[in-house]
Amino acid sequence: MNIAVIGRGNIGSTLGAKWAAAGHDVTFGVRSPDNPGTTSIATAVEDADVVVLALPGAAAGDLVNSLGEKLGGKVVIDATNDVTGSGKLHALEELADGAHPVRAFNTLGWENFADPVVGGVRADLLFGAEDGHAREVAERLISDVGLVPVWVGGVDTFDLIDNLTRLWFSLALRRGLGRRLAFKVLLEE
């Protein structure tokens, strides 16, 4: 898969490295492509099958608006969190028609993407996407990072996913349990 990771901070770099190791073609799109392995955001998005938003959450809405129709037909994974804003933590409502939104990689710290085994157990990643192509792509990319994908539902579940983000921040940071905190869904087999 051709993946454009927009942003090269902890989350973008970690996910991009994991996906490249799994055999995907990863391009990092950044505002100022001075470093090796980066290009402009528009160039990164152009040939991508998947666009991953891994930039500060407050900037995500403007970026999505600026890309507009260029996101049509692509799976767009929003891994951002606008925790300084009020209301929505994600920017997916701004997507142009024809884009396939996914809410994932926003409910855990980047450390859990780098090492998805916490306390000897492989962590789950709960995500939202419409059933079909977007869900299949998300499940593959989550698995390629080493996490267990747990599908919550379609776009109507994005607020539920964001509530899990709020829970993670509360436990990991406010309660001081640490960033290596993760979630596991247990089912009777």
Side-chain angles (χ1 to χ4, degrees), residues 46-118:
E46 192 173 303
D47 294 325
D49 304 308
V50 178
V51 176
V52 180
L53 306 177
L55 64 159
D62 288 341
L63 175 74
V64 167
N65 281 327
S66 73
L67 292 172
E69 299 295 320
K70 293 177 184 165
L71 297 174
K74 299 178 188 304
V75 172
V76 180
I77 300 175
D78 188 350
T80 68
N81 290 311
D82 188 2
V83 294
T84 61
S86 60
K88 302 268 184 221
L89 298 184
H90 62 84
L92 292 169
E93 291 174 344
E94 308 296 326
L95 284 178
D97 289 339
H100 307 284
V102 174
R103 187 67 167 134
F105 299 107
N106 62 301
T107 59
L108 301 174
W110 68 270
E111 301 89 345
N112 298 306
F113 305 145
D115 179 8
V117 177
V118 179

Side-chain angles (χ1 to χ4, degrees), residues 143-155:
S143 295
D144 286 347
V145 169
L147 295 156
V148 177
V150 177
W151 182 55
V152 177
V155 296

